[in-house]
Amino acid sequence: MALLIYNTLTRQKERFEPLNAPNVGMYVCGPTVYGDPHLGHARPAITFDIVFRYLTHLGYKVRYVRNITDVGHLEHDADEGEDKISKKARLEQLEPMEVAQYYTNRYHAAMDALGVLRPSIEPHATGHIIEQQQLVRKILDNGFAYVSNGSVYFDTEAYNKQHRYGVLSGRNLEDVKDASRQLDGVGEKHHQADFALWKKAQPEHIMRWPSEWSDGFPGWHCECTAMGRKYLGDHFDIHGGGMDLVFPHHECEIAQAVASQGDQMVHYWMHNNMITINGQKMGKSLGNFITLEQFFTGNHEKLEKAFSPMTIRFFILSAHYRGTVDFSNEALLASEKGLERLLNGLRDLERVQASKQTDKETEAMVKSLRQKCYDAMNDDFATPLVIANLFEACSTVNKILDHKAAISADDLEELRSTMHLFAFDILGLRDDHSSGSDAREEAFGKVVDMVLDLRAKAKADKDWATSDRIRDDLAAAGFEVKDTKDGVTWKLNV
C-alpha cells in the first residue's frame, strides 16, 4: 500500500511521490521563542516527528528543516504592534538574543523530554536577514509589492489579478478585505489585506537591520519562504505546521513564493489540528495556558498531578493528527493508563517462553500485525490505529503468559521485532520505568536522602551555613526542597 498524505492545498489524500526520491525536503514552522513551551507546541513537534521518523524508516533521506522565529512576530497582529521578543527583552532588561536563546534552550529541553528528534537544520530568522531582503527585492521587481514610508507591503490585489490569493484557506480576497476593515486606521497599506514584507523600525524598536528601504526588520511571513528556499530549493515536498497557521501565515507564504518565482514552492501542505481545553483554544488571555514544565511537575491549578513527557506524547498520538484533542485530567489519566498497558505488554514480552509451535489464533495475529501497522501509518499516519494494533498484541502476550496461547521461537522474534519497531522507533515512545531505570531511580533517591540527612544534621548542630549551602546546591542542580511540619520533601524539576 502506498503512503497517502492529506494535502491541505487540494483537500484530499494523495499518494506520496517525492520530487527527488529518495531525497525528501520537509519544512515545519517552529516556535516563536519568547515564552516557555506549552502543550500547543508539543502537538506539531510530535506530529512531524512521526512523519520524519516514518519517512526515514521507509528509506527516504529526509532533510527536515524546522525554524526558530526570533524576530518579526508582532504582538497585535502580523504587521502591527511590538515585536514579542523585543518586548520581553525590554521588560526584563535583557538583550533580545538573550531572551531568544533562553527560550530556545527551554524548547529544546522540553522536546528532548518528549522524545522529539532534532531536525536536520534549525535556522533562525535573525540569521537569514539577507535572504529575506533578497526575497522582498524579487517580489518588488516582479510588481507584487510596494514601498510605503520605508516599509514594504505585499500587493494582494496586483497578485490576485494574475494568481489566486486564498488557495490554501479557501478564502477569496474580497472576504479577507471585508474582515480587515476594522484596521482602517493603518495608513501605510494600499489595502487592508496587504501584508508586511519589511517593516521600518520605530525609534524604540531594538531589533533592526539596514536595508535599501529603511532600518527595519522582516515581516513574519518572509522567514519560512526564504529559509525553505535556501535549504530545500525552489520546490520541495512537505511544509507543515499547526492548523492555526493556514491563514494568514501559510497563505502568505504561498503568495510570496509564487510572486517571487512564478509557481508553487511546496507539493504537500500538512497541518495538525489544535489542542483545546474545555473546547477553547489554549491561550494566556483565557487563563487556560499550561506550559509543558507545568505538566511535567504538576505545578498548575488545573492539573490533578504531574504527567510524564511520555504520557503527553501518548496522549497526542492517541488521536489522529488532523483531529481535535481536548485536554482534561481524565483524558491524561486515561493516556497514562494506556501507555502503562502498552509498556507492560512490551516488558511482559521479554518474559515469554517460546513453545514448539504457535496456536492458530496467535499465528494469525503475529502474521498480520506488521502489515496492519504499516497500513495504518500509510493511511495518512493513523497513529491511533497503530496503538490499537499494539494493544491487540499486548492482549495476546497476556494470553501466552497465562498459558492460554502458545508461540514458537520464530513467531516470538517477529512479534518482538514488530512491537519494538512501531512502539519505540516509529511512535517514538520509550520506557522510562524499565527494571534498569527503576534500580537507578532507587539508588538516586537514596543518595538524595543521604544528602538531606547531612543537611538535617547541620541544622541540628545550628550550622546554618552548611545547611543553606546544601539547600542552594540542590536547588542549582534542579531539586526543589521543602521543609514542612511533617519533615523534608524533595522533587527533581524537569
Side-chain angles (χ1 to χ4, degrees):
M1 178 180 176
L3 171 61
L4 300 177
I5 293 179
Y6 183 86
N7 191 344
T8 309
L9 185 65
T10 60
R11 296 167 182 79
Q12 61 185 6
K13 292 180 184 178
E14 298 179 5
R15 181 184 177 123
F16 181 63
E17 297 178 336
L19 298 170
N20 187 30
N23 299 303
V24 173
M26 180 170 78
Y27 190 102
V28 174
C29 289
T32 302
V33 284
Y34 73 101
D36 275 333
H38 53 76
L39 195 59
H41 288 118
R43 193 167 196 198
I46 291 172
T47 294
F48 293 100
D49 182 60
I50 294 294
V51 176
F52 183 32
R53 285 171 180 270
Y54 191 59
L55 292 178
T56 301
H57 168 71
L58 292 179
Y60 294 111
K61 184 179 179 181
V62 185
R63 177 175 289 175
Y64 175 18
V65 182
R66 185 184 67 204
N67 69 295
I68 295 290
T69 298
D70 52 6
V71 68
H73 202 169
L74 307 187
E75 187 179 17
H76 299 313
D77 62 37
D79 296 338
E80 299 300 324
E82 189 172 4
D83 183 283
K84 292 179 178 180
I85 294 173
S86 290
K87 179 180 179 180
K88 192 86 171 179
R90 176 176 55 79
L91 292 175
E92 299 186 10
Q93 296 184 317
L94 297 170
E95 284 290 332
M97 288 301 97
E98 282 185 272
V99 172
Q101 188 63 59
Y102 175 80
Y103 288 111
T104 298
N105 293 345
R106 302 277 285 180
Y107 176 78
H108 284 156
M111 295 304 109
D112 290 346
L114 290 168
V116 173
L117 300 176
R118 297 290 178 97
S120 313
I121 304 173
E122 191 173 58
H124 291 234
T126 53
H128 297 78
I129 300 298
I130 292 174
E131 289 84 356
Q132 293 176 80
Q133 290 178 346
Q134 290 171 340
L135 172 67
V136 176
R137 170 41 59 197
K138 185 66 174 176
I139 296 172
L140 275 167
D141 290 345
N142 289 347
F144 296 114
Y146 56 89
V147 180
S148 179
N149 193 31
S151 294
V152 184
Y153 292 94
F154 190 91
D155 192 334
T156 51
E157 284 207 330
Y159 175 83
N160 203 51
K161 288 177 182 178
Q162 298 185 39
H163 309 283
R164 185 195 161 196
Y165 182 78
V167 293
L168 187 66
S169 63
R171 307 185 188 199
N172 65 62
L173 184 58
E174 290 306 313
D175 290 340
V176 174
K177 287 163 65 178
D178 289 343
S180 303
R181 283 176 180 167
Q182 59 182 335
L183 302 176
D184 283 344
V186 182
E188 290 184 349
K189 300 180 183 180
H190 291 176
H191 304 283
Q192 295 304 322
D194 297 349
F195 56 90
L197 300 173
W198 184 264
K199 285 289 290 182
K200 179 181 179 180
Q202 298 303 310
E204 68 275 9
H205 200 95
I206 306 172
M207 304 174 77
R208 58 175 67 216
W209 290 264
S211 77
E212 59 183 287
W213 313 290
S214 64
D215 279 4
F217 54 93
W220 172 40
H221 309 307
C222 285
E223 61 182 281
C224 294
T225 305
M227 294 189 293
R229 177 177 292 154
K230 178 178 177 67
Y231 295 110
L232 300 174
D234 290 348
H235 304 94
F236 57 90
D237 298 294
I238 297 171
H239 194 323
M243 196 169 287
D244 57 330
L245 297 179
V246 170
F247 188 89
H249 186 49
H250 288 165
E251 194 74 77
C252 294
E253 278 194 58
I254 288 176
Q256 290 170 160
V258 174
S260 60
Q261 68 183 45
D263 60 359
Q264 282 271 1
M265 179 182 290
V266 179
H267 190 180
Y268 304 93
W269 286 89
M270 293 182 65
H271 295 90
N272 63 274
N273 215 321
M274 299 294 99
I275 293 181
T276 58
I277 297 181
N278 296 324
Q280 291 182 308
K281 181 182 174 181
M282 183 182 296
K284 290 181 179 178
S285 61
L286 297 173
N288 61 5
F289 185 84
I290 307 176
T291 69
L292 288 171
E293 182 178 19
Q294 288 170 329
F295 275 104
F296 300 161
T297 62
N299 186 25
H300 192 281
E301 61 182 9
K302 290 185 179 292
L303 296 173
E304 292 181 5
K305 54 169 288 185
F307 294 97
S308 73
M310 282 300 102
T311 298
I312 301 298
R313 186 178 181 99
F314 190 85
F315 168 66
I316 289 172
L317 294 178
S318 295
H320 191 273
Y321 78 89
R322 288 191 287 112
T324 56
V325 175
D326 194 53
F327 157 80
S328 67
N329 281 282
E330 291 75 18
L332 282 176
L333 288 168
S335 291
E336 187 174 59
K337 290 180 180 178
L339 174 63
E340 193 61 22
R341 177 188 170 192
L342 176 57
L343 294 178
N344 280 336
L346 286 158
R347 295 175 198 135
D348 289 342
L349 190 57
E350 301 308 311
R351 299 192 291 115
V352 169
Q353 297 295 316
S355 301
K356 290 183 178 181
Q357 62 182 21
T358 307
D359 65 87
K360 290 184 179 180
E361 184 178 347
T362 301
E363 182 181 26
M365 189 282 297
V366 172
K367 291 190 180 305
S368 65
L369 178 62
R370 187 179 293 262
Q371 190 58 51
K372 286 165 68 176
C373 289
Y374 274 126
D375 288 346
M377 289 300 296
N378 287 336
D379 188 12
D380 196 29
F381 310 99
T383 56
L385 288 179
V386 175
I387 292 172
N389 291 328
L390 294 176
F391 278 160
E392 181 184 354
C394 290
S395 296
T396 298
V397 171
N398 289 334
K399 290 179 182 178
I400 296 170
L401 290 174
D402 290 341
H403 305 290
K404 296 178 181 178
I407 190 167
S408 68
D410 288 345
D411 285 341
L412 177 58
E413 180 55 35
E414 168 63 13
L415 182 58
R416 282 176 177 156
S417 173
T418 301
M419 292 186 71
H420 279 252
L421 169 65
F422 283 95
F424 297 139
D425 297 343
I426 293 175
L427 294 186
L429 299 169
R430 63 174 183 262
D431 189 349
D432 289 333
H433 299 288
S434 62
S435 58
S437 176
D438 288 341
R440 286 191 294 272
E441 287 178 10
E442 182 179 356
F444 182 76
K446 288 180 178 179
V447 171
V448 176
D449 289 337
M450 182 177 67
V451 173
L452 290 175
D453 286 342
L454 292 174
R455 178 173 176 260
K457 184 177 185 305
K459 289 179 69 175
D461 294 339
K462 301 189 185 306
D463 183 0
W464 309 119
T466 299
S467 171
D468 290 345
R469 191 182 82 250
I470 292 173
R471 181 201 61 206
D472 294 341
D473 288 348
L474 285 171
F479 292 90
E480 182 179 334
V481 177
K482 290 185 178 179
D483 294 304
T484 70
K485 63 180 181 179
D486 298 319
V488 179
T489 63
W490 64 271
K491 68 177 180 179
L492 178 62
N493 290 323
V494 176

